[in-house]
Each structure stands twice: as C-alpha cells, then as structure tokens.
C-alpha cells in the first residue's frame, strides 16, 4: 500500500515517505478551549483521526506519534472567565473555564469515534523553560532574537518577516504584495506590516508570565512551534489543521520554527481540511445555523455524525445538511444489521487503498457499499478500523429506537402478538396490529432466520 498525501506547501500529491518509519510524527492544531466545540471544529478532529488510524495500520500503532494541542491561553478565554466567574481570581476563573471546556471537548470527540492523540499538551505548560528541557516558547523567542529574526518594539516582541527570504511560501503571499496593499501607519512600532507578535505585555487583569521582556503572554502562533518541537522534534512529517489556519497561523509557525532552529523545513506535508457549511451557508450564530457537537449528539449517535463528515473528501468544502445526516443514519442502520455481530475478517484492501490515495473517503464509501453485499466479515472489520461499530446491533437498534421516541419494548410486544395472531390465522388481528405499528412510524419486515423460521424485524419509517 503506497500512501500518497497532498501537501499544501508544494501544491502536489506525492508519496508519503516518513523521516523515520519507526516514529512517524504528526501535529494537528487543536481547540481553543473557551466554549463548546462546533461541528466545524469536529472536521479536522475526525479527518486526522482517520489518517492517524491509517498510519498506525501502515507503520504499527507504536510507531506513530500524534500530537494535538490544547490552546488554553487566549483573550476569548479571559473574557469568558471574567463573565462566568466574576467573583474568582482571574487565574482560578481561567482554569475553571479551560478545564471544563477541555473535558467537554474530550467527551464530544470520543463520542465521534476518535482515538486520543498520543500527546495532548496544553499551551500554558510550555510558556516558560521546563524542568524536563522540552522546547518552550520563551526559549524559542530568545533564539529568534539571537538569530536576528525578532525584535522588541512598543512593549512587544515581533517576528521580523523581512529577515526570512521565503516568508509566505505556504499561503503564496508575497511580502512585497502585502506591503503594497497594507494600510499605512496602522501599527507604527512594526518594521513591516506583516510582522507578527511573539510576546505581548499583560495588564494586571490578563494572565501573564515573567519573561525577559516583562510580564506578558505569548502570541498564538508560537505555541504550536514550541509544542510540536517539544514532542516531535524540529522537523517532523505531517502538520494539519483547517484551511483557515494556512494564513496566518501556519505561515507564521513555519517562519518561527525554521528561523529559530535554522532548518529548511518544519514539516514535510502540510494538510488542510476544507470548511464546513450548514445547509449551504456559512455557519454563524446570527443565522441560527450554528451547531455544537454536543447539541448534535443529543439527536444522533456520534457514528452518524462521523459518517456524515467522511462522505465528502477532506479537502473539499462540506455542506452539512439534515438530509445527509439522515441518510448516514440509514446507512449505519443497514451496516449494523448486516455486520455488527460479525467478528471475523480484516479490513478490506479496497478500503485501505482508497484511504491511501490522499484519504479518498468517497471511494472508501463505495468500497464499503460493495462489501455490504459480498463480504460482511471484511465490512465489519473495515468499519471497526474506521471507528464505527462500537456497539452490538441490539445496542444500536435500542439506541436508535429510543432516539426516535418509540418504546422498543412495546413494539416488540406488539410484534409478538401479531406473530401469535398469524399463527392462529387471525389475519384481521395481525393486520390491525401492523396498522397500529405503522401509525407509530414502525415498518415491519417479515423474513426467515437461518433455520427457516419466520422472523419479523422492524425499523422506523
Ligand atoms: P479554532 O478553535 O477556531 O482554532 O478551530 C479549531 C480547528 O477547527 C482548526 O483546525 C480550524 O481550522 C477548524 N475549524 C474551525 N471552523 C471550521 C469549519 N467551519 N469547518 C472546518 N473546520 C473548521
Ligand atoms: Zn497551531
């Protein structure tokens, strides 16, 4: 199986060659923890979980290191802490907000069938030099200043974009163009309008750390440069996130990491998932089409949401619609019925090959549909490999029926009554019961079991 991945930096799909097949290293930007994550945030988590699973399959689970950070220092967090816990000292209030939000995030993405990353560092643990000597933000900033890539001005430390000849390569923005288009004198302390903050001062009402540049806090981008280096080294294999992160976040991560370490690359493959829209519109609170993962999980099993996400190729925009979610639910009902109780088999080559082609999940789904009618053992194993079929068929059906508001015990009792009526040839009564069930939205399917005895299964219309 040759794995091929699309790299945003070189704008080509090419064979994936790890730096070290015994330690394949991937970093994905994680959530800023101030509120429930929305369904758009679930997209990178699910997409890179599938890639993580594929890499583990290809190189062995113990040979893949996946780091996804938690951003727990951010002005949105400060605002939320002040609003929700006005009586508490700021640091305590912040800790309450970030811990609660991080555990909600974990519950959400676990329900979506995602594995835990190998490491999940929190930004606030990587601001100051550490006892274990792992990379930290203050040391990185000092290195950047020492190498002539950063300067102090106006109480901030800024990255000097002009000190890096190929700044802008990831997003394809040229510094000259940025200069020409820049508004004049917006931030007079910057040497160049594109220069960005590495460190800024904190007021008393903002979280801060004592640093060589006074009490302050880091800029956003430097976090990921520090945490990726801490766990994956100065150069690693894959860096991922949503397309909105290409500029400025990833562009600036590259600038910081390469200039601090003096390396020609930061990561060999830059992967970006497309954006998620809802019913054809940008998701926004004001449009009323904004959904948290938590809200959707109240209505749908996480596997239904997971499947809905994978129907679209990760690099394309995805239009999240109720129709698509309902269709995924029906597909999973069918797959559960066909294969959830099958324990033999291994993931199908057709499924793995589709994924190996830059995570071609549309082709993967076609392969799964093909297996549905030819090899339920391979279907079951493939689905488990992909993070589905976490329950037995009975559990799944019970859950789906509860979700649809129908009392499964009552349905089963009526089905037993109907079978008894049919056995005594009282077809008037059996038809009456069928109609009663139909009025509840329950559709019956009469068939035979393996021994040829009549069985009746049911599903919601
Ligand atoms: P944030 O908490 O906004 O930094 O986002 C966390 C992750 O979710 C990043 O990788 C973003 O690119 C991604 N993301 C945010 N909104 C969307 C969206 N609507 N569709 C897809 N990905 C998104
Ligand atoms: Zn990042």
């Amino acid at each position: 199986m040759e794995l091929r991945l699309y790299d945003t930096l070189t704008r080509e799909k090419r064979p994936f060659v790890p730096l070290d097949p015994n330690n394949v290293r991937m970093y994905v930007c994680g959530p800023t923890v101030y509120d429930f994550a929305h369904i758009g945030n679930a997209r990178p988590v699910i997409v890179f979980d599938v890639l993580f699973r594929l890499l583990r399959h290809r190189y062995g689970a113990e040979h893949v290191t996946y780091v996804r950070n938690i951003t727990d220092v951010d002005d949105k967090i400060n605002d939320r802490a002040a609003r929700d816990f006005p009586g508490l000292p700021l640091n305590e209030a912040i800790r309450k907000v970030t811990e609660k939000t991080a555990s909600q995030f974990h519950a959400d993405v676990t329900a979506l069938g995602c594995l835990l990353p190998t490491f999940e560092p929190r930004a606030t643990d990587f601001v100051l030099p550490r006892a274990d000597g792992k990379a930290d933000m203050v040391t990185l900033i000092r290195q950047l200043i020492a190498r002539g890539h950063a300067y102090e001005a106006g109480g901030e430390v800024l990255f000097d974009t002009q000190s890096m000849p190929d700044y802008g390569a990831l997003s394809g923005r040229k510094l000259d163009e940025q200069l020409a288009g820049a508004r004049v004198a917006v931030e007079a302390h910057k040497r160049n309008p594109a220069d960005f903050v590495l460190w800024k001062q904190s007021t008393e009402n903002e979280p801060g750390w004592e640093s060589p540049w006074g009490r302050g806090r880091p800029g956003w981008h430097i976090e990921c440069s520090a945490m990726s280096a801490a766990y994956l080294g100065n150069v690693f294999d894959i860096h991922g996130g949503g397309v909105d992160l290409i500029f400025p976040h990833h562009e600036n991560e590259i600038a910081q990491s390469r200039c601090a370490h003096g390396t020609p690359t930061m990561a060999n493959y830059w992967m970006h998932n497309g954006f998620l829209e809802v019913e054809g519109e940008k998701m926004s609170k004001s449009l009323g089409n904004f959904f948290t993962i938590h809200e959707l999980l109240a209505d749908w099993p996480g596997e239904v949401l997971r499947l809905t996400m994978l129907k679209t190729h990760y690099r394309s925009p995805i239009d999240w619609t109720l129709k698509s979610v309902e269709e995924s639910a029906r597909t999973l009902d069918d797959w559960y019925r066909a294969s959830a109780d099958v324990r033999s088999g291994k993931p199908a080559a057709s499924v793995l090959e589709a994924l190996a082609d830059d995570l071609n999940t549309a082709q993967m789904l076609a392969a799964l549909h093909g297996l549905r009618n030819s090899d339920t053992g391979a279907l079951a194993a493939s689905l488990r490999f992909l993070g589905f079929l976490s329950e037995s068929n009975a559990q799944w059906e019970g859950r789906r029926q509860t979700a649809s508001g129908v009392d499964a015990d009552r349905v089963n009792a009526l089905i037993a009554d109907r079978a008894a009526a049919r056995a005594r040839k009282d077809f008037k009564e059996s038809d009456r019961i069928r109609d009663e069930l139909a009025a509840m939205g329950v559709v019956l399917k009469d068939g035979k079991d393996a021994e040829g005895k009549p069985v009746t299964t049911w599903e919601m219309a």
Side-chain angles (χ1 to χ4, degrees):
M1 178 186 79
E2 186 192 58
L3 177 54
R4 295 168 64 82
L5 297 174
Y6 182 84
D7 174 16
T8 309
L9 183 60
T10 54
R11 293 162 177 76
E12 63 179 0
K13 187 156 78 173
R14 62 173 195 277
F16 175 70
V17 184
L19 290 160
D20 174 4
N22 286 313
N23 186 15
V24 179
R25 289 161 284 162
M26 171 163 81
Y27 185 93
V28 175
C29 297
T32 305
V33 284
Y34 66 98
D35 203 349
F36 281 109
H38 60 66
I39 189 63
N41 300 134
R43 193 170 192 197
V45 181
I46 293 174
V47 163
F48 291 103
D49 179 69
V50 169
L51 179 56
F52 183 38
R53 287 168 186 267
L54 184 67
L55 293 171
R56 285 159 59 100
H57 182 85
R58 170 73 177 76
Y59 296 96
E62 65 282 17
H63 298 303
V64 183
T65 307
Y66 173 22
V67 178
R68 186 183 62 214
N69 71 293
I70 288 182
T71 296
D72 60 351
V73 49
D74 184 279
D75 290 350
K76 287 189 286 268
I77 298 175
N78 308 343
D79 297 346
R80 185 56 62 109
R83 191 193 82 183
D84 290 358
F85 303 98
L88 285 185
L90 182 69
N91 281 344
E92 250 177 77
I94 286 178
R95 188 152 20 86
K96 279 206 188 284
V97 170
T98 58
E99 278 177 3
K100 185 171 133 209
T101 313
S103 70
Q104 285 161 348
F105 176 76
H106 283 137
D108 286 348
V109 301
T110 301
L112 294 176
C114 298
L115 303 172
L116 278 176
T118 323
F119 298 105
E120 205 171 31
R122 290 163 161 268
T124 50
D125 291 331
F126 289 82
V127 178
L128 299 179
R130 296 164 53 93
D132 64 7
K134 281 195 165 67
D136 67 272
M137 300 178 219
V138 163
T139 304
L140 272 182
I141 296 170
R142 294 177 82 130
Q143 282 166 347
L144 286 169
I145 295 174
R147 287 172 173 262
H149 291 292
Y151 60 97
E152 273 189 85
E156 294 180 336
V157 182
L158 295 153
F159 184 89
D160 183 356
T161 46
Q162 228 146 23
S163 74
M164 183 186 187
D166 59 345
Y167 177 81
L170 182 71
S171 59
R173 296 178 186 221
K174 297 225 166 58
L175 218 45
D176 298 352
E177 289 165 13
Q178 291 180 48
L179 266 177
R183 284 162 297 164
V184 209
V186 189
E187 291 162 294
H189 65 298
K190 290 187 179 179
R191 289 182 193 167
N192 183 315
D195 293 356
F196 56 90
V197 170
L198 300 171
W199 188 264
K200 56 191 165 201
Q201 281 178 0
S202 295
T203 64
E204 257 174 54
N205 298 323
E206 288 166 338
W209 289 261
E210 291 302 334
S211 80
W213 319 285
R215 183 176 174 277
R217 60 196 192 284
W220 172 32
H221 318 304
I222 195 74
E223 286 180 16
C224 291
S225 286
M227 288 183 277
S228 60
Y231 287 99
L232 304 176
N234 297 348
V235 184
F236 52 95
D237 296 298
I238 300 170
H239 192 314
V243 274
D244 57 320
L245 299 186
I246 294 176
F247 189 87
H249 186 53
H250 289 168
E251 195 74 80
N252 293 348
E253 277 189 39
I254 292 175
Q256 296 162 159
S257 294
R258 283 183 43 200
C259 292
H261 304 128
T263 52
T265 34
M266 176 183 185
N268 282 334
Y269 300 80
W270 286 84
M271 295 180 65
H272 295 97
N273 63 270
F275 244 44
L276 175 146
E277 300 197 326
V278 174
E279 309 283 352
E281 288 189 280
K282 187 178 187 309
M283 185 166 55
S284 86
K285 286 192 175 147
S286 58
L287 287 175
N289 65 352
F290 182 96
F291 298 107
T292 64
I293 304 171
H294 186 75
E295 285 165 341
L296 288 170
L297 284 171
D299 291 339
W300 303 99
E303 291 185 18
V304 169
L305 307 179
R306 184 177 176 90
L307 180 60
T308 307
M309 204 65 91
L310 295 179
K311 286 196 285 199
T312 304
H313 187 261
Y314 77 93
R315 282 194 279 126
S316 303
I318 182 171
D319 186 19
W320 187 271
T321 64
L322 178 61
K323 188 165 162 275
S324 176
V325 178
E326 286 171 344
E327 189 185 277
S328 308
R330 282 193 296 272
T331 301
L332 275 164
D333 286 345
D334 178 55
W335 285 346
Y336 260 94
R337 218 176 294 125
S339 65
D341 300 331
V342 181
R343 287 277 153 197
S344 58
K346 55 185 180 83
S350 56
V351 168
L352 294 167
E353 276 159 19
L355 287 176
D357 178 18
D358 192 35
L359 305 183
N360 188 339
T361 50
Q363 192 190 320
M364 170 198 88
L365 284 168
L368 290 169
H369 287 303
L371 294 172
R372 165 67 179 85
N373 299 317
S374 63
D375 186 345
T376 49
L379 175 67
S382 303
L383 287 171
R384 286 198 184 93
F385 160 72
L386 290 164
F388 296 101
L389 298 193
S390 60
E391 302 180 346
S392 68
N393 187 38
Q395 281 171 317
W396 177 264
E397 286 193 344
R399 190 195 305 227
R400 293 275 290 138
Q401 284 145 19
T402 316
S404 61
V406 164
D407 178 346
D409 290 341
R410 167 134 181 84
V411 173
N412 289 329
L414 283 169
I415 288 175
D417 291 349
R418 175 172 169 269
R422 275 159 52 113
R424 61 175 192 269
K425 301 213 168 2
D426 183 351
F427 296 113
K428 208 173 148 209
E429 174 66 358
S430 73
D431 285 350
R432 191 198 63 72
I433 295 173
R434 176 188 279 274
D435 292 345
E436 182 179 339
L437 284 162
M440 293 160 65
V442 174
V443 178
L444 300 184
K445 272 197 194 152
D446 291 319
K448 290 202 164 60
D449 70 9
E451 277 105 53
K453 283 199 279 227
V455 282
T456 300
T457 55
W458 61 281
E459 62 189 26
M460 297 308 296

